[in-house]
Every structure is written in C-alpha cells, then in structure tokens.
Amino acid sequence: MTEIKFLDVGWTRRTLAKKIDEAVKRVLDSGWYIHGDELAAFEKEFAHYAGAKSCTGVGNGLDALELSLRAAGIGPGDDVLVPSNTYIATWLAVTRAGANPVPVEPLESTFNMNPDNLEEALTPQTKAVIPVHLYGQTADMDPIMEFAESKNLFVLTDAAQAHGSYYKGRMAGSLGHAAAFSFYPGKNLGAFGDGGAVLTNDPELAAKIKVIGNYGAEKKYHHDSLGFNSRLDEIQAAVLRIKLEKLDNWNWTRKELAAIYLKELADTPLILPEVPEWSIPVWHLFVVRTTAREALIKHLAENGIESLIHYPIPPHKQGAYKDKQNLSLPVSEKLHREVLSLPMGPHLKPEQVQQVCTVIKDFFS
Ligand SMILES: *Cc1c(COP(=O)(O)O)cnc(C)c1O
C-alpha cells in the first residue's frame, strides 16, 4: 500500500530543480542579497498577477499583517474585528500592533467571517476588520466592505491561504484596502524559508509599510519612526518568481482534486465545504466536517493516508489569550471539534484522491 502524504513541500523543488538551482546560483554569485533586483522584479510580477498597484515584500505573513495595521495607524486603544476561527497569526498581528482582537463568528457553510455578525461585534473603539480567506476561499467581501465603509474601518484581508483565488472576478490580493500574504513553504505559493508581502492600491500605505519594515528609515540612517526589520531576501524572491509562473497550474490541479472529493464524497455523512457561486477557491486545504473525526483519522492512517486538523484549538482557548477564555463563540468551537483536512496539493494524483474517497466511503459503510 502506498502512503498518501498530506503535503509534500519538497515536490515543487523536485519539479523545478534546474530552474531553481540556476536562480539561486545567480543570486549567490551576484553578491547582493537584500533589497535588490530580484525583490523589485518579484514585487512587480506579484502585484501584476493579483491585480494590485503595489506589492511590498516582507519577512513573513505575520509581519505583513502587523505592518499593514501599523501603517494604517492602528495601535493601543483600538479594537480590530477578526474571525473567531482563524490561524492565530491573524490575532497575534493585532496584539503585536498594540490593539485588541475582537472575534466575529463565521458562517458554518464556508468557514469565513459572517458579515451579518459584524454589527454586533462593533465597539466605539473599532478601527479595522481583518477578513481571512480561510482554506483558500475568499470571504464575502462586498457586504464586509459596505459595513466597513459605513463605519470608516480599515479593511485588511488575510490572504495567506489564498494566492490566486477569485471573488466575483477579482483576485484575493486586490480586495480590501490591503492584502497580506505569506510565502511559508506549505502555502500555495511558498518560498524555501519564510517570506511575506502586502498588496495595496494605496501608494501612501505602501510607502509607510516599506519604511516601518526597514527600521523606520525613509532615507538610510535617518530613523523618523520606531520601525523594525522585516524583509524578503533576494534568494526567496528569485525562487518565488519561478514558482509564481507555475501557481495557476498548481492551483488548477488543486481544483481538479477538490472536484473529485466533492463528487465522490457527496453521498457520505461528511459535511463538505460550500462554494458560493461568486467564488473560485484555490483549495489551500480541503476541509470536511464530521462528529466521527477521531475514528476517521484512525481509519485513514491505518490505510496509509495522512490527515490533519486546522485547527485543533480556537485562538480564544489558547494559553496566549487567557483574557479571552470566557468569550462565548459556539460556532467556532463547534467547527474546531469537527473539522478535518484531507490530503491536498499538486503532489497528488487524481487516483490517489480517488483512493482517499474509497477509504472514507468504506469507513461510513
Ligand atoms: C500562514 C498564515 C499566516 C502567517 O504566515 P507566516 O508567514 O507563517 O507568518 C497568517 N494568517 C494565516 C491565515 C495563515 O494561514
């Protein structure tokens, strides 16, 4: 029996070995490793790809979120609306900027922020909202933008899982006032190390992000604000340029695999992810729901199939947020008890996904 891996980050390297080796050697030989031609070229290419005016490469996805908030003037005393069921980075970025994350419950069907819950979560201190395009599907942005505009809120989208996904014909990086991306190796567009970027159409915001992420210096050795160091290096930028050319192909493979899951698992007791008609997701993760999760994980493992939980503990139940433990967030808590991520990625063949489906149907029969 062959193993079916959940994820294989080495696969992209193996399929592009020659091109990547050449690019890395080119950077090494150039003698220029930070803020050079590769970064400038990648920023231009990624902004163009995602339909935004500007892209600023930064150190990682968490920094991309924090820098955006700080550049927008969000800080101590401010509340920021965040999904109750996101990866903890979304919350941490708010906390690190000095502000307070206020959770908003999601829609069970799509896992994304429910626009109808925004009004209730709003406080007089609310200055921003961070919709996350969770698992690779965009949040329902139009009602969120409408609400944000009526309350004068800054809208930062967390697009760390959504490189290449579409909302009503617009790409993830072009939604909201700014979009934060991560190039962590396991993301749909991943580097060989850490990396991130902020996309925006607002040149002033982009300029501020560049300054804060470069020691608060607009001019070298002139530090007008308390910045920090967050940069996307030349080697990662060179690698990302090569991988960006393949992103649509890889996302297409993910869509084909997701279509198999959706078809084959339709008649099982699993609750499948819903795709609204305005959405073209990129399936960073394929997440199903079941109350029989632990038994199913065991059955899959016995058949050589890896599965994972994204995420086992909601942010408000983490030790890091002891002050939020007592919040009542039943939708998020229920989702965290039921979600299960099945193998997904361009390293998989359709036959392998068929095999996962056969094993799941066998479990429920
Ligand atoms: C991965 C991820 C981040 C953080 O990205 P890093 O590059 O690991 O800092 C933020 N938000 C979401 C939703 C993510 O999945």
Side-chain angles (χ1 to χ4, degrees):
M1 187 179 50
T2 54
E3 272 275 306
I4 297 184
K5 281 193 185 177
F6 183 81
L7 180 78
D8 183 359
V9 286
W11 179 87
T12 54
R13 190 269 178 283
R14 292 195 294 280
T15 64
L16 293 170
K18 191 157 167 285
K19 274 193 145 178
I20 284 170
D21 287 359
E22 280 166 11
V24 171
K25 185 170 186 303
R26 184 175 74 234
V27 175
L28 292 176
D29 290 348
S30 76
W32 193 283
Y33 309 120
I34 292 279
H35 280 180
D37 295 343
E38 297 290 344
L39 177 63
F42 172 70
E43 288 178 337
K44 216 171 135 202
E45 288 159 11
F46 194 53
H48 177 76
Y49 173 82
K53 282 202 186 118
S54 87
C55 167
T56 305
V58 299
N60 55 64
L62 175 60
D63 285 358
L65 291 163
E66 181 189 342
L67 282 162
S68 302
L69 291 170
R70 286 178 58 175
I74 313 291
D78 296 337
D79 282 346
V80 177
L81 304 179
V82 293
S84 55
N85 63 322
T86 178
Y87 180 57
I88 197 164
T90 319
W91 286 45
L92 278 179
V94 175
T95 305
R96 283 190 17 172
N100 175 45
V102 176
V104 176
E105 289 271 64
L107 284 156
E108 278 188 35
S109 54
T110 63
F111 306 109
N112 275 325
M113 189 176 255
N114 185 344
D116 293 340
N117 292 337
L118 289 168
E119 186 75 53
E120 198 193 330
L122 193 80
T123 67
Q125 291 77 40
T126 305
K127 294 284 163 54
V129 52
I130 313 183
V132 177
H133 306 318
L134 202 66
Y135 308 146
Q137 172 157 275
T138 56
D140 191 0
M141 290 303 297
D142 281 352
I144 295 173
M145 290 306 291
E146 199 180 310
F147 176 82
E149 271 155 28
S150 74
K151 310 290 177 192
N152 207 15
L153 307 180
F154 175 67
V155 182
L156 169 61
T157 51
D158 182 339
Q161 303 188 354
H163 320 69
S165 71
Y166 280 95
Y167 175 74
K168 299 186 181 175
R170 287 172 278 153
M171 217 180 246
S174 68
L175 305 169
H177 299 123
F181 284 87
S182 162
F183 306 121
Y184 179 77
K187 309 288 185 182
N188 289 36
L189 179 61
F192 293 129
D194 277 313
V198 182
L199 269 59
T200 178
N201 289 329
D202 178 347
E204 228 172 281
L205 189 77
K208 278 188 194 151
I209 289 166
K210 271 206 172 76
V211 169
I212 303 170
N214 195 30
Y215 289 106
E218 208 160 326
K219 203 168 127 201
K220 204 168 188 188
Y221 305 130
H222 295 255
H223 307 275
D224 297 325
S225 61
L226 290 171
F228 62 102
N229 169 14
S230 185
R231 301 183 287 225
L232 182 63
D233 70 67
E234 288 289 286
I235 292 180
Q236 302 305 339
V239 166
L240 287 168
R241 291 182 69 195
I242 293 168
K243 290 190 169 192
L244 180 58
E245 288 178 14
K246 290 277 180 239
L247 178 60
D248 284 342
N249 269 327
W250 293 337
N251 280 343
W252 182 249
T253 302
R254 289 172 184 270
K255 287 168 199 168
E256 288 183 322
L257 300 177
I260 296 173
Y261 277 134
L262 290 170
K263 178 166 173 278
E264 295 294 326
L265 301 176
D267 296 329
T268 68
L270 289 178
I271 301 175
L272 301 178
E274 203 172 288
V275 180
E277 86 284 355
W278 42 256
S279 165
I280 305 179
V282 290
W283 304 104
H284 173 61
L285 296 169
F286 190 90
V287 178
V288 298
R289 285 166 55 203
T290 171
T291 49
R293 183 169 71 180
E294 302 316 315
L296 180 57
I297 291 171
K298 189 161 163 279
H299 180 75
L300 287 166
E302 282 164 2
N303 286 277
I305 297 163
E306 291 179 345
S307 60
L308 290 172
I309 297 170
H310 297 89
Y311 299 90
I313 304 168
H316 72 287
K317 293 292 182 193
Q318 300 283 355
Y321 284 105
K322 289 206 171 65
D323 58 319
K324 312 275 189 201
Q325 298 279 327
N326 297 325
L327 290 176
S328 169
L329 299 165
V331 182
S332 172
E333 284 171 27
K334 180 174 172 216
L335 291 176
H336 282 83
R337 282 194 300 273
E338 296 181 355
V339 288
L340 180 65
S341 308
L342 301 177
M344 173 51 78
H347 65 291
L348 293 171
K349 297 260 171 297
E351 306 84 79
Q352 292 176 297
V353 169
Q354 291 282 0
Q355 192 186 326
V356 177
C357 294
T358 304
V359 169
I360 291 174
K361 284 190 230 174
D362 168 62
F363 173 79
F364 283 111
S365 68

